[in-house]
Amino acid sequence: MTSEWSEKSTADLMSRYVSKEMGYNVPKEGWRICLAHEFKEKRKPFQAKDVSLANIWGHIGLGVRYLKFWYKKTQVEKKAPFIDMFGAQPLRQIYGAPLGGIGGGTITRGWRGEFCRWQLNPGMYHYKTVIPNQFTVCLRREGKTVYQQVLSVERPPTLQGWNWGYCGEYAFYHALYPRAWTVYDLPGQNVTLTCRQISPVIPHDYQDSSLPVAVLVWDIENKNEYDLDVSIMFTMVNGSGQKDDKCGGHWNEPFHLEKEGEAVSGVLLHHCTAVNPYTLCIAAREQSDREISHQTAFSPKGPCFSLWNDLIDDGRLDSPTGSSPPTVKGEKVAAAVAVGCSVPAQGHNSLEFCLAWDMPKITFGSREKEHMRRYTRYFGTTGDASPSLSHYALTHYKQWEKSIEEWQRPILQDSSLPSWYKSALFNELYFVADGGTVWTEIMEDVDISGGIRSEDGGLPAQPTVIKEYGRFAYLEGQEYRMYNTYDVHFYASFALIMLWPKLALSLQYDIAGSVVQQDLTERLHLMSGLYSPIKTKNVVPHDIGDPDDEPWVRVNAYLIHDTAHWKDLNLKFVLQVYRDFHLTQDRQYLQDMWPICQAVMESELKFDLDGDGLIENSGYADQTYDGWIVTGPSAYCGGMWVASLCVMCKMARLLDSEELYRHYKDLLDRGSAAFEKLLWNGKYYNYDSSGRDLSNSVMSDQCAGHWFLRASGLGDGEFQAFPKEKIQSALKSVFDLNVMSFAGGQMGAVNGMRPEGVPDRSSVQSDEVWIGVVYGLAATMIHEGMQEEGMRTAEGCYRTVWEKLGMAFQTPEAYCEKNIYRSLAYMRPLSIWAMQLALNTSQKDQTTTA
C-alpha cells in the first residue's frame, strides 16, 4: 500500500536533482537522495530538561545520583559514561552506508561523499568529517587537462588550492546496503561517474563477512564524440580526525603485491598509537590498460597546491619510492593513489579502488585482555595484512556482489512488496556491522560456562559453535554503549538468526554461560538508589559489558536496575532459545540450553505470589519499558511469561520429558486463564491489572509474547497460549488507536495510547515511538493476516526516519510526535527482519494450504 504522503516524501529527496542521468546499473530499489537536498526539520536529542513537570518529581533522586556518577566518570576517571545524558549526539543529517564487514570496525561515508564516522577502536565512536579524504576526477583530451574537480559539495577553509564546491544538484546517492552508489553528472562535460561501494556483508558467510575492507568501483560513461583520458585520485589522512593523528610517529609507504596472476598497488598508512595501532590501506587493481600512481605523503593543511598540480599536469602522480619519515608531534600526514584509463567516445570504462584497515589485536578500555579479531583466522595477527586484504578484496568483490544479488533478488523482484519496505529491510541491516560490533576468536584459556559443566546443568567450557565461529557482540546503540543488551537483542536478534545463525547461537551460549554466574558485590543502582548484588544466579544479565571497560569479563555494565528484578530478560532468553532451535533445527543447541531454561524459569516462579500460574510485577519490573510503573500482572511481562510456558512445554515434548511437560502445562493452563481474567477488557489487554487510572492504557507491544510464538511456529492447537480472536482484536485496537489516531497515522505506533485517543504521557517513554517495537508489531500483524495494517504501521516509521528527519544509517531508538528523538543509531530496528520472517511464513502457509 502506497499513500500520497509517502510518494511525496520520496520525491522530496530528489526534488533538487536537475540532471537526467541515472547512473551506471544503479538499482531501482533503495534509499535515494540528491546531494543538494536539505532536510527542513531539525530535531534535538532528548535530555534531562525534556522531562515533563509531571515526571520530574519521580526522577529527582535518579537525577542527583546520575549527576554524581557522571561527574566521577568524566572528571575523575576521564572516561565517557556508557550513557551521556549531558552530551547526547546532535543530529547530523549526513550519514550513508558504512564501509567494512562485520566485527572489524567501520568507516562511514556520508551520502554527500565525506568520510565522517569512525569506529576503529572497538565500540567507541568518533564523529569527525576528515576533509582531505576525497575523490577527485581529472579529465584529459588530447594530452591536456580540461576538467579537474574534487567530488565534494564542501567549500572548506583548508586545501584551498583544490577545486571544491561541486554542484550537488548534479549528483545523487543511492543506498541498498551493503552496497551504495553515488552518481555524478559532470556539468558541461558529457561525462557521468558512478561510484559503487561494496562491503562484504554476506548472509551465511563467516569468512569474507568478517573482513575490514570495502571496494569502490568507478564506472565512467563518456557521452562525447571524442575519446577521453580519465583519472580518479583517492586521498586519505593517516588517522581518523582524532587528537592522536598529531601524536607523532605515523608513517606511510607504497606497496605492490602480486600473486595468483593478479597485482595491486597502493599506499599503507601506518597509524602507530600505543593502544590498538592499525594500518590503513588505499589501493587499486593493476591492469594492462590502467595506470596507477601515488603520492606517499603530503601535508593535509594549507592550500596543498603541489598535489593538485601534480595531478593536473598529466593525470598522474609522481610515485616516489621509499617510506615517508615518521611524523613529528603536532603534524598530520596523508597519502594519495590515482588510477587512470582511456574511455572511448560514447563508451564506458571502470576503475577499482580498495580501502582496508588492519587492526588485528584489540584491547578494550581496561586493557586487561588482548583479543584477536575474527578475520585474523585468515589473514594473521602480525599487523601486516593490509596488502593481502586489499588484494583479496579487489579480486573477490565480483563474487561478493553475485552473492549479495542472489540474496536480495527474490525480495527486490517481489512486486507485492512496497519499495519503501525493500529499502528499509536491507538498509537497516547496517547496524550488524556498524553497531560497535566486535567478532573475535575465543582464546584458549577462556571458559564461557561460568564454571558449571554440562553434567551439572551447565555448558561446555568452549561450545563447538563458539570455537568454530567465534564470539560476537554488538552495542545497544552507538550512544547507549553496552554490549549485547539482552532486552533489546530480543527484537534485533531476528536479523542474526535469519542471516548469520551461527553468530546468533554463539551469542546465546555466551549469555547462557553468564546466567549461572553470580557476583554478590553490592552496588548502588541509579534508578532505585538502593544497593543490591551486581549479578544474581540464574538471572539473565542486562548486557555483557562496556567497551570502555572489559566486556565478557565483567557482565552487566548497566547501572540503573537490579538484575534480580528484570523479569522479562529471563523470559526473552527462553523464547529466543526455542525460536532459534525452530529456525536452525540444531538439536545439540536445544539440549545444551534446556537446563539453563529450566533454571531461569524456576527463578521466575517466585514472582507468582498468589499461585495462579501468572507472575506479578512490582515497580520497574519490565526492563524494556523501564519508565513505566507496573503493578500486578502486566500485558507485556505476563504475556511473555505465558508464551515462555508454552515453549517450555514444546521443548519438554521434543526432549521426551513428560514429567516436565505436565509441570509446565499445568502452569500454562492456569497462567493463561489468569492472564485472560485479569487483563482482557473486551477489546485488548490492559497495560496492567492494578485498576489504577492508567491501567487500561493501550500498549502497542502488548502481544510481544504471541509474536514470538508465531515466529517459532507455535500459537495454535496444543501450543496455543492466547485466543486467536482476542489477539486479532487487540491488534486492531492498537492499529486504530496507537497508529491511526497518532500523528495522522503517518509516524508508526506510539508506545502508549489512552482509550479516548490521546497519547499516554505518564512516563518519559509512554508517548514515544520505538521504531524497533513498531517493526515487531508489524510482524505480529502480518502473522495474523493483517498485512496491509502491518505495512502501513511500519511505513510510518521508515518515512519519518529516512525521509523526513534525515536519520539515515542512524535510526534512533525513539522519537516523539514533535521536536525530540532519543539514542541515535540503535540496535532494535533490526527487528524489521521479523517482518520478513512473518512474510516468509505467511507465504509458506498459503502454499501449504493451496
Side-chain angles (χ1 to χ4, degrees), residues 25 157 202 390 403 411 511 556 565 604 660 664 738 770 804:
N25 290 341
I202 304 163
S390 60
S403 298
I411 294 170
I511 292 293
N556 183 30
H565 294 163
E604 292 290 293
L660 285 172
Y664 289 115
N738 300 59
W770 290 6
K804 182 182 177 185

Side-chain angles (χ1 to χ4, degrees), residues 420-432:
W420 70 263
Y421 170 76
K422 298 169 185 178
S423 173
L425 184 70
F426 293 114
N427 284 324
E428 290 288 10
L429 202 58
Y430 84 96
F431 197 84
V432 169

Side-chain angles (χ1 to χ4, degrees), residues 519-523 525 531-536 556 562-564:
D519 182 349
L520 299 181
T521 304
E522 294 279 312
R523 184 177 61 187
H525 290 272
Y531 282 86
S532 58
I534 290 175
K535 173 70 175 64
T536 52
N556 183 30
D562 173 6
T563 51

Side-chain angles (χ1 to χ4, degrees), residues 374-494:
R374 167 71 175 183
Y375 76 88
T376 62
R377 176 176 291 203
Y378 315 106
F379 287 88
T381 63
T382 54
D384 58 358
S386 288
S388 295
L389 282 166
S390 60
H391 186 282
Y392 186 87
L394 287 165
T395 56
H396 286 78
Y397 81 88
K398 292 181 180 178
Q399 181 58 49
W400 297 345
E401 289 199 279
K402 181 180 178 182
S403 298
I404 291 166
E405 288 168 357
E406 288 175 353
W407 158 49
Q408 294 183 338
R409 186 180 299 115
I411 294 170
L412 298 179
Q413 292 183 349
D414 188 342
S415 60
S416 70
L417 298 175
S419 292
W420 70 263
Y421 170 76
K422 298 169 185 178
S423 173
L425 184 70
F426 293 114
N427 284 324
E428 290 288 10
L429 202 58
Y430 84 96
F431 197 84
V432 169
D434 201 24
T437 312
V438 288
W439 184 2
T440 67
E441 295 291 288
I442 188 168
M443 309 307 284
E444 291 183 2
D445 61 343
V446 172
D447 179 352
I448 71 104
S449 73
I452 300 179
R453 294 287 183 263
S454 302
E455 56 270 21
D456 299 315
L459 296 170
Q462 293 195 346
T464 301
V465 70
I466 291 185
K467 285 197 290 187
E468 291 186 7
Y469 297 98
R471 304 179 95 176
F472 177 86
Y474 59 156
L475 295 176
E476 178 177 337
Q478 291 179 10
E479 293 191 75
Y480 286 11
R481 211 180 54 241
M482 294 158 281
Y483 272 128
N484 294 351
T485 299
Y486 203 73
D487 62 302
V488 184
H489 172 68
F490 177 75
Y491 296 82
S493 61
F494 283 87

Side-chain angles (χ1 to χ4, degrees), residues 508-636:
Q508 284 286 86
Y509 272 105
D510 256 326
I511 292 293
S514 69
V515 166
V516 300
Q517 299 177 35
Q518 65 180 13
D519 182 349
L520 299 181
T521 304
E522 294 279 312
R523 184 177 61 187
L524 176 68
H525 290 272
L526 299 182
M527 181 66 80
S528 66
L530 301 175
Y531 282 86
S532 58
I534 290 175
K535 173 70 175 64
T536 52
K537 189 175 181 180
N538 294 337
V539 172
V540 174
H542 172 273
D543 60 83
I544 63 159
D546 179 350
D548 205 23
D549 187 15
E550 192 63 40
W552 288 305
V553 173
R554 281 183 289 280
V555 301
N556 183 30
Y558 205 59
L559 299 179
I560 292 184
H561 297 280
D562 173 6
T563 51
H565 294 163
W566 295 337
K567 301 178 183 66
D568 62 328
L569 295 181
N570 282 2
L571 307 177
K572 287 173 176 175
F573 177 80
V574 172
L575 290 169
Q576 284 190 72
V577 164
Y578 182 72
R579 183 214 48 196
D580 294 350
F581 167 74
H582 172 69
L583 294 177
T584 64
Q585 293 297 301
D586 187 328
R587 197 165 184 88
Q588 183 62 54
Y589 166 75
L590 182 66
Q591 291 172 342
D592 287 343
M593 294 295 164
W594 177 236
I596 310 294
C597 288
Q598 292 179 67
V600 300
M601 287 297 284
E602 292 305 311
S603 74
E604 292 290 293
L605 272 175
K606 64 187 177 185
F607 296 110
D608 179 12
L609 302 181
D610 55 9
D612 63 356
L614 185 63
I615 63 170
E616 297 185 35
N617 301 51
S618 60
Y620 297 92
D622 293 323
Q623 170 51 37
T624 290
Y625 298 95
D626 58 17
W628 289 15
I629 296 291
V630 185
T631 304
S634 69
Y636 187 71

Side-chain angles (χ1 to χ4, degrees), residues 673-719:
F675 183 78
E676 300 296 328
K677 177 182 177 182
L678 292 170
L679 293 159
W680 182 250
N681 67 16
K683 291 185 178 180
Y684 58 89
Y685 293 102
N686 286 335
Y687 175 65
D688 69 20
S689 59
S690 67
R692 58 198 173 93
D693 290 345
L694 298 175
S695 286
N696 63 342
S697 284
V698 187
M699 186 184 197
S700 65
D701 210 11
Q702 62 185 270
C703 297
H706 178 75
W707 164 39
F708 254 72
L709 291 182
R710 296 290 281 161
S712 305
L714 302 176
D716 294 315
E718 181 183 2
F719 300 102

